[in-house]
Amino acid sequence: MQDPTKIADTGSAVRPNLGGRDTRDKSSRADYASTRPQANGAWIESVLPDSPAWEAGLEPGMRIDSVEGHPLGDVIDWRWYADGDVADLTVTVPGEEGSFACTLERESGQDWGVDFTDVLFDGIRTCVNACQFCFMRMLPEDARASLSVRDDDYRLSFLQGNFVTLTNVGDDDLRRIIDWRLEPMNVSIHAITPQVRRELIGRNADRGIEVLQALCEAGLEVHGQIVVCAGINDGDELRATLDWVEAHPNIRSLALVPMGYTKYSKRFSSSFSEDVEASRAVVKLVEPYQARARNELGITRFQLSDEFYLDAHLPVPPAQSYDGYPQFYDGIGMLRSFLDESVQLVAERAADLGAITDRLAQEDRRALLVCGEAAQDVNLRLVKLWEEALGGDPRVDVQAIRNDYYGGDVNVTGLIVSEDLLAQLPQDLSQTLVVLPSVMFNFDHMTLDGDNQDHIIEELEARAGRVLVTDTSPTALLEALQCNIG
């Protein structure tokens, strides 16, 4: 993957650091963005003391309207036009008449020291598609309004790793993407045959392929995705799509994920999760493409999501098959990463695990790891390895939360909601340390059914339990337990 901090145009001139995302950093993902309403404009959220912005008199609550005479539509504009050591700004102060001019000066390599309330200053670009498999169309009627905002913004693809269809990208946007080298771009492809694409996506489907083709011809790095729907874009259509991707080497990875559905879906009532043979057929179809890519390019490139291996009752591939996990947060390789990290953790830090178990025993307490049903087996594997390393009970249990709120085949940890959690955890938690996965909360510490982290902790503490919220990786779990037991 190209380093996004070293961006060049179609020639050889070096371009500014536009700050593409780190896909392994959860805080940079769009679903970790704030759920609070955002006002349009480059509103300053914070200013670093003694920074160039601080010395120039910028303060939180002010709005930067232009840089070097250029209006700002997003943080990419800011980073592009304010790339030098001097930046002339036009700034507005709420409640005051007009605006004022401001000049920032900095040493080479110094940060301006200003953060904004959002990365998009002119509002999010919403989806113009009518995808059959859209999860937003399968939400309960009482879901909070912010969940129904269907974003499809190429800027969030570059900045935060969102997948976009490119169907709403105009010619000016396309020139900007290419000229400014906004890569890598994460693109939902789904199907290549025009008729199938229109059936899946809607009447704007053709535009997405036109833009994607232009990005490939310009040499931009792309990471693709296919949501596989049984009977629609699998089989021969999937093979045709894989052939097209195989012929476009700029598409450095392609994620294949099975369509998920909820009990509120009006169209789907089953998917690959209920059909072992259909899942195995997809795995078998993709394997020759993976083999050719490894032979010709040295990478697997065509990546099946963890769900396909679970649904097919097949083991997940070894770590080297995942090419450094470029699509980790699309569910590609999470299980393999967790399993390998568990083995390494137990081998290298058995003493630390033993100390945690000893402290749990001293408190006469057990730790209860909460997860979604899809992650139950790997969490149980971690506990089993822990038990084998100690030669006895580690005083750690696992409870998978069934997703009754969404129903259907929704079973991942990140979609656990408050009402299911509180309904399924024991009423008596007097000797229990409940370990909640942080991924079930968004940036504002809210769950998808509108509850907040503080309230959930209060409810569990009312059952006499203690509560710990942590990342779900084995190492993060160990370190959180070390800090919170005893």
Side-chain angles (χ1 to χ4, degrees):
M1 180 182 299
Q2 177 179 331
D3 181 352
T5 65
K6 299 175 181 176
I7 298 174
D9 66 7
T10 50
S12 59
V14 175
R15 290 300 194 189
N17 176 3
L18 300 187
R21 80 282 181 185
D22 175 359
T23 56
R24 295 298 297 271
D25 176 7
K26 295 188 302 181
S27 64
S28 69
R29 293 168 56 211
D31 53 351
Y32 278 78
S34 174
T35 57
R36 294 167 292 178
Q38 301 287 340
N40 283 358
W43 293 96
I44 298 175
E45 181 174 54
S46 63
V47 177
L48 184 67
D50 300 321
S51 67
W54 182 85
E55 291 177 352
L58 295 184
E59 297 178 0
M62 293 181 177
R63 186 184 69 215
I64 300 177
D65 297 319
S66 67
V67 178
E68 303 296 331
H70 299 280
L72 300 179
D74 48 51
V75 76
I76 304 172
D77 282 338
W78 163 255
R79 294 170 182 169
W80 182 272
Y81 295 119
D83 184 57
D85 295 333
V86 177
D88 291 320
L89 316 181
T90 302
V91 181
T92 293
V93 179
E96 296 186 7
E97 291 286 338
S99 58
F100 70 93
C102 174
T103 298
L104 306 185
E105 298 182 8
R106 64 179 176 181
E107 300 295 329
S108 180
Q110 185 180 15
D111 190 89
W112 291 122
V114 60
D115 286 320
F116 299 97
T117 59
D118 201 350
V119 295
L120 304 180
F121 305 152
D122 58 1
I124 195 168
R125 302 191 183 187
T126 54
C127 183
V128 298
N129 304 319
C131 296
Q132 293 185 20
F133 51 83
C134 179
F135 197 79
M136 302 296 186
R137 298 177 181 269
M138 306 182 198
L139 297 177
E141 292 183 359
D142 61 349
R144 68 175 189 265
S146 61
L147 295 180
S148 63
V149 177
R150 297 189 300 141
D151 67 275
D152 197 21
D153 198 314
Y154 75 88
R155 299 170 297 177
L156 293 182
S157 182
F158 170 66
L159 291 167
Q160 299 180 329
N162 291 23
F163 277 95
V164 291
T165 64
L166 303 176
T167 57
N168 61 0
V169 172
D171 290 343
D172 290 342
D173 294 327
L174 179 56
R175 280 192 292 271
R176 185 194 194 207
I177 295 170
I178 293 174
D179 290 347
W180 291 15
R181 309 301 292 183
L182 302 185
E183 61 181 332
M185 193 67 61
N186 280 13
V187 181
S188 292
I189 303 173
H190 303 319
I192 196 60
T193 304
Q195 180 179 349
V196 177
R197 281 184 57 80
R198 286 192 288 270
E199 179 184 356
L200 270 174
I201 300 174
R203 59 186 176 87
N204 297 297
D206 293 350
R207 177 59 176 172
I209 293 299
E210 292 173 4
V211 174
L212 177 57
Q213 181 72 46
L215 299 185
C216 290
E217 291 174 358
L220 268 71
E221 180 178 333
V222 173
H223 295 276
Q225 178 198 58
I226 298 174
V227 175
V228 185
C229 303
I232 302 177
N233 63 339
D234 58 350
D236 289 341
E237 179 59 29
L238 179 58
R239 186 175 289 105
T241 306
L242 297 182
D243 287 343
W244 189 90
V245 171
E246 194 171 45
H248 291 77
N250 294 87
I251 303 176
R252 296 293 295 165
S253 71
L254 180 73
L256 295 96
V257 301
M259 181 210 70
Y261 68 96
T262 78
K263 62 185 179 184
Y264 302 99
S265 172
K266 295 180 174 62
R267 180 177 179 86
F268 300 102
S269 58
S270 65
S271 186
F272 291 93
S273 55
E274 293 88 13
D275 194 332
V276 174
E277 292 307 315
S279 300
R280 290 186 175 181
V282 173
V283 175
K284 184 176 181 180
L285 189 153
V286 174
E287 284 177 344
Y289 294 89
Q290 295 174 322
R292 285 196 295 272
R294 284 192 292 266
N295 183 55
E296 298 171 7
L297 303 173
I299 58 175
T300 303
R301 195 185 181 201
F302 298 88
Q303 302 281 2
L304 288 156
S305 72
D306 296 349
E307 293 101 317
F308 268 118
Y309 293 105
L310 291 176
D311 295 342
H313 299 173
L314 295 172
V316 294
Q320 58 266 32
S321 298
Y322 289 101
D323 306 334
Y325 301 100
Q327 300 211 31
F328 187 79
Y329 282 111
D330 200 27
I332 310 296
M334 281 187 170
L335 294 183
R336 170 49 57 198
S337 176
F338 190 99
L339 290 167
D340 288 353
E341 188 176 339
S342 296
V343 172
Q344 182 178 359
L345 183 76
V346 171
E348 297 177 355
R349 303 187 65 176
D352 291 334
L353 296 172
I356 290 171
T357 296
D358 289 343
R359 289 204 293 269
L360 287 169
Q362 291 167 8
E363 297 179 3
D364 192 22
R365 193 181 301 275
R366 300 186 69 85
L368 182 63
L369 310 184
V370 173
C371 64
E373 290 180 313
Q376 182 177 25
D377 287 346
V378 291
N379 276 276
L380 288 172
R381 178 59 178 159
L382 169 61
V383 173
K384 182 65 175 177
L385 290 169
W386 193 334
E387 179 181 6
E388 291 172 352
L390 298 183
D393 180 12
R395 301 188 69 86
V396 178
D397 305 303
V398 175
Q399 179 160 350
I401 302 299
R402 183 183 62 256
N403 202 310
D404 294 327
Y405 180 77
Y406 284 118
D409 66 348
V410 176
N411 60 6
V412 297
T413 302
L415 296 182
I416 293 175
V417 298
S418 173
E419 69 176 55
D420 290 338
L421 178 80
L422 296 177
Q424 295 175 40
L425 288 180
Q427 291 299 311
D428 181 6
L429 295 169
S430 56
Q431 295 176 299
T432 305
L433 172 65
V434 181
V435 183
L436 299 180
S438 59
V439 71
M440 67 177 282
F441 301 103
N442 74 351
F443 184 84
D444 294 321
H445 307 295
M446 292 185 65
T447 59
L448 286 164
D449 59 346
D451 203 352
N452 64 73
Q453 182 175 304
D454 289 342
H455 175 255
I456 292 173
I457 292 174
E458 289 174 5
E459 289 287 326
L460 298 179
E461 288 178 343
R463 303 180 190 183
R466 285 180 55 193
V467 183
L468 170 62
V469 180
T470 183
D471 183 72
T472 55
S473 74
T475 301
L477 170 65
L478 181 148
E479 293 174 353
L481 288 172
Q482 284 182 312
C483 295
N484 289 275
I485 297 178

